[in-house]
Amino acid sequence: MIAAVDQAARKLGVAPGMTLTKARAFAGPLEVIEADPDADLEGLRRLALWAGQRYSPCVAPDPPHGLWLDITGCASLFDTERALLKDLHRRLAAFGLSVQLAAADTAGCAHAVARHVPAGRPVTIEAGDHRKAIALLPVAALRLEPDTVEGLRKLGFERIEQLIGTPRGPLAKRFGRQLHRRLDQALGFVPEPIEPVFPEQRPRARRAFLEPIATAEAFAQVIGDLVADVVAQLGKMAKGARRLDCYFHRVDGHIQAIRVGTAAPSRDPKHLAKLVAAKIDTIDPGLGIEAMTLVTPLIETLAARQSAGLDSLQTDPRGKAPDLAALVDALANRFGQRRLYRTSPYPSAMPERAIEAGPALGEPKGRAWDGDLPRPCRMLNPPEPVDVTAMLPDHPPAMFIWRRRRFKVTQADGPERLHGEWWRPAGHESDQPFAVRDYYQVETDSGARYWLFRLGDGENPATGPMRWFLHGAFA
């Protein structure tokens, strides 16, 4: 019996559930591998743990060939939800996996769309459109037993929209409660909890409550206790936490999570508790929280270190050195890891590629800016068009209009000509809109200094339309 097929076999008409003899009868020679359900489940679990490290704290396997990801509140890590799905799809495809992704308000809708809408790309169902999205899908998309699907088909029910408006009593009497339970889960009337998987051998702590709690003060108190337990475990391992996931188990079975990260390994209980507690307002307690779990999915070695030296005692009598890592953690967890970074010079002739972004606390790479060719502290991306009065071919601007304001130039330096980078893969900058440029540093009568360039060399029309742009401003 065939358990699974790849895309090539599926195109030949081979499908799961078919006997191997029948498949070979019309598909010809096939490459057959013995099924190993236990190994498949373990591989699916490893894939879930990988996804949990990068995309969401709430990830669980959905055997035999699916994954659940609750990405609520995680889209900010990738700027948008679509960007998150695109990154996940690209990485899974790079693993050699055939994958179909779908995101929706409800788990049942996402499950149905991912398996019955073969778009070949991530599909996002907009908020509030889950009912419309599943209406035209087959009844089998509700994850019903084959006998139930066949019985509904004999009664004339082919699509989910036919079930939505049908009285429930007769169908429930014939097919049981599971039919409408799956329908209500897909429509969002009944919650469908996802039990996340946790990495093994990672420090964790759990608190179960005799009575459900629902206040921010109670959450903060429990978070402090959980962090203290986890920090004690980290101390025995000589490790520090780089990421913390706090799970809130509601009485209705739904699980919500808070994820925070640190720029450097940390075992400071006050600092870690403060990071987690700062996101309490994202939790909807519903009817109450009956348990809380804290897990450290990412840890690193943290050796003992001196907190302050003699030089810091001279500037700070209390002997406390500035804690830059704490500031970075607070800002990154509030605005997103990708919005906080440090810049360093990058060897490139084009200004927009001469800056490289790296981790906020990353080590400097030893490169320095060219003092003979200063660059503005603030760059505009993309450069903004301006109207300039200047003599061709290479006289500096005498006046320019930017954002409907007129600026009179009192001093100027230039031009600095950039021809693009001919060594790039295309051999030239043909795919770049600003290839040949003449840059000028100008100072206006108000004392402000700007960086302007002309697109083209001022003589040959083939090099550009001779339009002017403002690319940045000096401090």
Side-chain angles (χ1 to χ4, degrees):
M1 188 73 67
I2 296 176
V5 297
D6 62 5
Q7 291 183 351
R10 191 178 298 274
K11 291 179 180 179
L12 296 175
V14 182
M18 184 182 296
T19 63
L20 184 58
T21 303
K22 179 180 178 181
R24 282 174 168 163
F26 66 86
L30 297 174
E31 182 181 355
V32 180
I33 302 174
E34 287 293 329
D36 189 346
D38 294 336
D40 291 344
L41 182 59
E42 178 59 25
L44 197 62
R45 183 178 182 277
R46 291 199 305 269
L47 190 62
L49 292 175
W50 169 84
Q53 290 278 355
R54 186 172 182 86
Y55 298 100
S56 169
C58 289
V59 179
D62 180 29
H65 47 65
L67 285 181
W68 291 112
L69 286 88
D70 186 349
I71 60 174
T72 305
C74 300
S76 59
L77 299 175
F78 296 82
D79 294 332
T80 64
E81 188 176 280
R82 293 182 185 273
L84 186 152
L85 295 176
K86 184 178 180 180
D87 185 86
L88 176 59
H89 187 275
R90 177 177 58 83
R91 292 180 181 275
L92 289 176
F95 292 159
L97 300 175
S98 299
V99 59
Q100 179 63 45
L101 301 179
D105 288 344
T106 65
C109 179
H111 187 282
V113 173
R115 288 161 175 77
H116 295 271
V117 182
R121 55 179 176 79
V123 178
T124 301
I125 305 301
E126 299 297 334
D129 289 347
H130 55 281
R131 181 188 182 102
K132 181 170 60 176
I134 67 172
L136 298 179
L137 295 181
V139 174
L142 292 177
R143 293 171 288 167
L144 302 173
E145 296 294 332
D147 294 343
T148 302
V149 174
E150 180 63 21
L152 290 170
R153 189 189 64 80
K154 291 180 179 179
L155 294 177
F157 293 96
E158 298 287 347
R159 300 185 305 274
I160 295 177
E161 64 177 352
Q162 297 173 289
L163 291 175
I164 296 177
T166 302
R168 297 192 170 194
L171 292 179
K173 185 176 181 180
R174 180 166 183 172
F175 297 105
R177 297 181 179 180
Q178 183 71 0
L179 169 61
H180 292 103
R181 176 172 172 268
R182 289 300 192 189
L183 180 61
D184 288 341
Q185 287 177 340
L187 295 175
F189 299 146
V190 175
E192 185 171 359
I194 298 175
E195 189 65 32
V197 293
F198 303 133
E200 297 180 359
Q201 299 178 350
R202 288 291 188 270
R204 70 182 68 179
R206 180 183 173 90
R207 290 287 190 280
F209 314 121
L210 294 177
E211 295 291 338
I213 61 176
T215 64
E217 294 78 8
F219 294 158
Q221 178 64 41
V222 177
I223 288 173
D225 296 339
L226 293 174
V227 169
D229 293 348
V230 168
V231 166
Q233 299 175 44
L234 290 171
K236 295 179 181 180
M237 302 168 61
K239 301 286 186 179
R242 285 295 310 276
R243 185 173 297 159
L244 292 172
D245 293 339
C246 187
Y247 299 88
F248 296 74
H249 306 262
R250 296 198 323 196
V251 295
D252 60 1
H254 188 65
I255 299 177
Q256 300 179 72
I258 291 175
R259 165 166 287 184
V260 298
T262 62
S266 175
R267 286 201 302 264
D268 185 349
K270 292 184 178 180
H271 173 56
L272 297 177
K274 184 178 179 180
L275 290 178
V276 179
K279 292 192 173 184
I280 289 178
D281 57 348
T282 63
I283 298 299
D284 178 14
L287 298 177
I289 303 297
E290 62 180 2
M292 290 172 58
T293 304
L294 186 67
V295 183
T296 55
L298 183 60
I299 59 177
E300 291 182 3
T301 301
L302 178 61
R305 60 182 179 180
Q306 186 171 334
S307 60
L310 295 177
D311 55 344
S312 63
L313 292 175
Q314 296 176 359
T315 57
D316 190 347
R318 297 172 298 176
K320 294 183 178 180
D323 192 355
L324 184 59
L327 175 61
V328 170
D329 293 342
L331 295 176
N333 285 286
R334 181 176 180 180
F335 300 109
Q337 296 285 349
R338 295 194 173 191
R339 297 182 180 271
L340 197 68
Y341 52 86
R342 70 180 301 168
T343 59
S344 60
Y346 183 78
S348 176
M350 307 307 286
E352 57 269 24
R353 293 196 290 265
I355 298 176
E356 182 180 33
L361 295 181
E363 294 293 333
K365 298 187 177 181
R367 295 190 289 261
W369 304 103
D370 188 351
D372 295 333
L373 299 173
R375 296 293 185 254
C377 61
R378 181 178 182 184
M379 302 280 285
L380 299 179
N381 185 24
E384 297 186 6
V386 293
D387 295 326
V388 172
T389 300
M391 295 180 62
L392 295 177
D394 56 3
H395 282 257
M399 182 272 296
F400 66 93
I401 299 175
W402 176 48
R403 295 181 179 176
R404 300 183 180 180
R405 291 184 57 192
R406 186 184 301 271
F407 298 85
K408 182 180 179 181
V409 177
T410 57
Q411 299 184 66
D413 183 22
E416 175 191 346
R417 179 162 296 177
L418 300 181
H419 289 277
E421 298 176 343
W422 53 266
W423 56 89
R424 290 178 66 82
H428 50 78
E429 296 284 344
S430 60
D431 59 339
Q432 300 295 329
F434 306 113
V436 180
R437 318 175 197 175
D438 281 348
Y439 277 90
Y440 294 86
Q441 300 179 43
V442 301
E443 182 176 334
T444 65
D445 53 0
S446 63
R449 295 191 299 138
Y450 299 97
W451 207 36
L452 284 76
F453 74 87
R454 181 184 60 238
L455 182 57
D457 60 6
E459 295 179 326
N460 186 1
T463 62
M466 310 305 170
R467 295 183 57 196
W468 287 82
F469 297 85
L470 190 147
H471 204 163
F474 294 91

